[in-house]
């Protein structure tokens, strides 16, 4: 079987779903599937940093994105792929625009996040990471002719990098042998305030005079003003530290094993679970995060292990576990690990995607097909124009500062 997988790489060259693509590509190739991995570069990107260890090729999206459409159309015509898997909204639009008469080959993958009707219905199949997304899109009339599949984010057991050990511990200058460490991997963005705030409260809740708890908040800076606000708020605490060191932010999977407790969302939370660490998910509207247990696993997975819980009542009565602060390892251990490995482990991904590839895909009338093609072309061009404008403004600002 021949499959092509597409993913967008923007200016910073790194995104959480790139690691999902990396793990999925590994499993596909191990299963003997002839996989072509293609990175579509925008915003003058140098490519995907997460995929540097995977065999892949790149397609540059020129000023209007036409080059990427043309390159994909030629590639599919030449190689005769049985599926075109698009791992984000932009590459889905590229595929729909490039392959208007091969709709049933296109599988869009929405890697979590909030529901949005901006996703095109010009594809044959739609893979959703969470029940939140699956229930929404399955019930929308816009997508009634698109075959939907619930395939949770698939994650491999991460490998802790011994070369990053000293870098990690250097960010905790007051660390002593008896201390426990909470790591909060999160982008410094105002939208992530709930994650940071609840990580801080958990640190203060678990901290004891005879057993200190240190908190390391580590992530890239998306909003410099917000980062400075957080830095000033935390500056008075001797137990809370911030880092945006790229050696850590670009290798989060390789460092979470050095912490005892993780406060995070999405893929990072699952990776920590696979390392059998205690993991806490923030809960919107609450002061403290909730620990992931075998009992609440499916409630939390419904929303892709994010703070957007629609069933808060089933979570807020679960007390913060004292075992986490004592050992740093989740005492639910085996039962929880088995759940994680079965439902989101990368090893089970291939059979799920094969079912989607072999699916029939829905049928749409020619006028609808023409409309989805036209809209996708327009969206790609509009995005590329905005991208070029943003780059031009950034360069102008740089010259002004000089």
């Amino acid at each position: 079987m021949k499959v092509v997988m597409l993913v967008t790489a923007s200016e910073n060259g790194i995104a959480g779903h790139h690691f999902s693509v990396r793990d999925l590509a590994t499993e596909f190739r191990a299963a003997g599937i002839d996989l072509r991995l293609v990175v579509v570069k925008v915003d003058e990107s140098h490519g995907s940093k997460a995929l540097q260890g995977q065999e892949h090729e790149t397609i540059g999206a020129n000023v209007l994105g036409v080059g990427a459409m043309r390159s994909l159309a030629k590639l599919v015509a030449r190689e005769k792929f049985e599926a075109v898997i698009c791992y984000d909204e932009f590459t889905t639009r590229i595929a729909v625009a490039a392959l208007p008469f091969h709709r049933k080959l296109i599988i869009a993958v929405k890697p979590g996040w909030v529901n949005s009707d901006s996703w095109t219905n010009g594809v044959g199949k739609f893979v959703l990471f969470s029940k939140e997304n699956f229930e929404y899109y399955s019930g929308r009339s816009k997508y009634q002719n698109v075959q939907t599949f619930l395939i949770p984010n698939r994650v491999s057991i991460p490998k802790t990098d011994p070369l990053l050990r000293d870098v990690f511990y250097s960010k905790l200058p007051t660390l002593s042998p008896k201390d426990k460490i909470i790591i909060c991997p999160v982008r410094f963005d105002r939208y992530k305030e709930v994650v940071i705030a609840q990580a801080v409260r958990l640190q203060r809740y678990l901290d004891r005079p005879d057993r200190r708890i240190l908190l390391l908040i580590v992530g890239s800076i998306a909003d410099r003003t917000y980062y400075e606000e957080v830095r000033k708020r935390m500056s008075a605490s001797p137990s809370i530290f911030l880092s945006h060191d790229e050696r850590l932010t670009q290798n989060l999977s390789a460092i979470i094993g050095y912490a005892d407790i993780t406060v995070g969302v999405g893929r990072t939370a699952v990776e920590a679970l696979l390392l059998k660490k205690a993991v806490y998910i923030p809960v919107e509207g609450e002061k403290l995060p909730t620990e992931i247990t075998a009992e609440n696993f499916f409630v939390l997975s419904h929303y892709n292990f994010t703070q957007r819980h629609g069933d808060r009542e089933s979570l807020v009565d679960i007390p913060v576990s004292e075992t986490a602060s004592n050992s740093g390892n989740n005492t639910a251990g085996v039962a929880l690990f088995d759940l994680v490995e079965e439902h989101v482990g990368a090893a089970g991904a291939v059979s799920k995607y094969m079912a989607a590839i072999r699916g029939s895909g829905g049928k749409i009338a020619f006028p609808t097909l023409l409309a989805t093609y036209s809209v996708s072309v327009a969206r790609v061009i509009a995005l590329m124009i905005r991208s070029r404008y943003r780059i031009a403004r950034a360069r102008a600002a740089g010259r002004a500062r000089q």
Side-chain angles (χ1 to χ4, degrees):
M1 175 174 284
K2 299 183 73 173
V3 174
V4 62
M5 191 178 295
L6 307 175
V7 66
T8 305
S10 56
E11 190 172 7
N12 65 7
I14 194 164
H17 64 283
H18 287 197
F19 295 97
S20 299
V21 172
R22 178 199 64 190
D23 291 351
L24 192 59
T26 298
E27 295 300 323
F28 267 52
R29 286 167 172 160
I33 295 168
D34 185 356
L35 176 71
R36 293 282 287 276
L37 183 55
V38 178
V39 176
V40 180
K41 299 192 299 181
V42 298
D43 289 346
E44 298 188 338
S45 169
H46 295 293
S48 171
K49 295 173 183 176
L51 297 175
Q52 288 177 350
Q54 282 283 351
E55 180 183 345
H56 69 279
E57 56 197 270
T58 59
I59 293 177
N62 60 5
V63 178
L64 297 180
V66 177
M69 300 179 208
R70 187 185 303 116
S71 297
L72 179 60
K74 289 181 178 178
L75 182 64
V76 171
R78 184 177 68 247
E79 300 293 340
K80 302 189 184 323
F81 292 108
E82 295 175 62
V84 179
I85 303 177
C86 308
Y87 235 84
D88 51 60
E89 189 173 0
F90 182 66
T91 54
T92 300
R93 292 287 182 182
I94 290 279
V96 171
L99 308 165
F101 299 109
H102 297 279
R103 174 177 175 269
K104 292 187 178 181
L105 292 181
I106 304 172
I107 301 176
V109 180
K110 178 173 169 49
W113 207 238
V114 297
N115 297 315
S116 168
D117 283 349
S118 66
W119 282 75
T120 180
N121 61 344
V123 299
K125 302 139 191 178
F126 200 3
V127 169
L128 294 316
F129 271 14
S130 69
K131 283 189 177 180
E132 174 194 18
N133 294 152
F134 180 76
E135 291 172 356
Y136 178 85
Y137 290 101
S138 297
R140 300 290 286 178
S141 59
K142 176 180 177 179
Y143 303 95
Q144 64 182 350
N145 293 314
V146 178
Q147 192 175 8
T148 52
F149 297 85
L150 173 60
I151 306 178
N153 190 6
R154 315 304 290 198
V155 180
S156 297
I157 298 176
K159 297 179 180 178
T160 302
D161 188 346
L163 298 179
L164 292 173
R165 182 180 183 278
D166 290 343
V167 178
F168 177 83
Y169 288 122
S170 71
K171 307 303 178 184
L172 300 163
T174 64
L175 180 68
S176 66
K178 292 183 179 180
D179 295 341
K180 299 294 182 182
I181 302 170
I182 298 176
I183 185 170
C184 178
V186 63
R187 189 171 61 250
F188 288 101
D189 186 322
R190 203 168 298 277
Y191 176 78
K192 300 293 186 180
E193 169 66 19
V194 64
V195 183
I196 293 174
Q198 292 192 18
V200 171
R201 293 192 192 106
L202 181 66
Q203 182 273 329
R204 291 171 178 166
Y205 179 90
L206 296 177
D207 197 35
R208 300 284 187 275
D210 61 335
R211 187 195 60 236
R212 286 200 317 157
I213 305 291
L214 303 189
L215 169 62
L216 176 62
I217 306 172
V218 56
S220 58
I221 299 175
D223 182 335
R224 173 64 64 173
T225 301
Y226 175 70
Y227 170 78
E228 291 299 331
E229 290 175 9
V230 175
R231 187 180 63 81
K232 289 177 182 177
R233 291 205 314 257
M234 307 304 166
S235 60
S237 173
S239 301
I240 301 176
F241 305 91
L242 276 58
S243 176
H244 54 87
D245 189 325
E246 288 190 353
R247 291 173 294 179
L248 302 184
T249 62
Q250 293 179 11
N251 296 284
L252 290 173
S253 302
I255 63 169
I256 55 176
Y258 289 121
D260 303 290
I261 304 166
T262 297
V263 177
V265 297
R267 179 185 181 85
T268 303
V270 175
E271 288 180 326
L273 286 174
L274 286 169
L275 290 174
K276 299 182 180 178
K277 298 292 182 177
V279 181
Y280 290 80
I281 300 291
V283 183
E284 284 185 344
E286 299 301 320
K287 291 185 177 181
L288 287 169
T290 190
E291 184 180 9
I292 302 179
T293 66
E295 288 72 28
N296 66 16
F297 176 83
F298 289 107
V299 174
L300 294 166
S301 68
H302 188 104
Y303 293 88
N304 198 33
F305 302 99
T306 66
Q307 67 269 29
R308 297 188 313 277
H309 306 311
D311 190 13
R312 281 174 49 200
E313 294 303 316
S314 66
L315 300 175
V316 296
D317 291 335
I318 298 174
V320 174
S321 172
E322 285 296 320
T323 60
S325 59
N326 290 331
S327 68
N329 286 316
N330 198 310
T331 54
V334 176
L336 181 58
F337 179 81
D338 288 347
L339 274 178
V340 176
E341 197 168 42
E342 178 183 355
H343 291 280
V344 294
V350 175
S351 61
K352 301 284 187 181
Y353 277 88
M354 286 301 101
I357 291 170
R358 296 187 179 109
S360 60
K363 296 180 179 180
I364 59 174
F366 181 75
T368 305
L369 178 66
L370 182 61
T372 59
Y373 166 76
S374 302
V375 171
S376 289
V377 171
R379 289 280 182 89
V380 170
I381 292 174
L383 187 144
M384 295 308 301
I385 291 173
R386 289 198 301 270
S387 171
R388 296 292 166 174
Y389 176 68
R390 185 170 60 248
I391 291 170
R393 285 190 62 185
R395 285 176 175 171
R399 287 194 295 270
R401 285 194 295 269
Q402 292 175 0

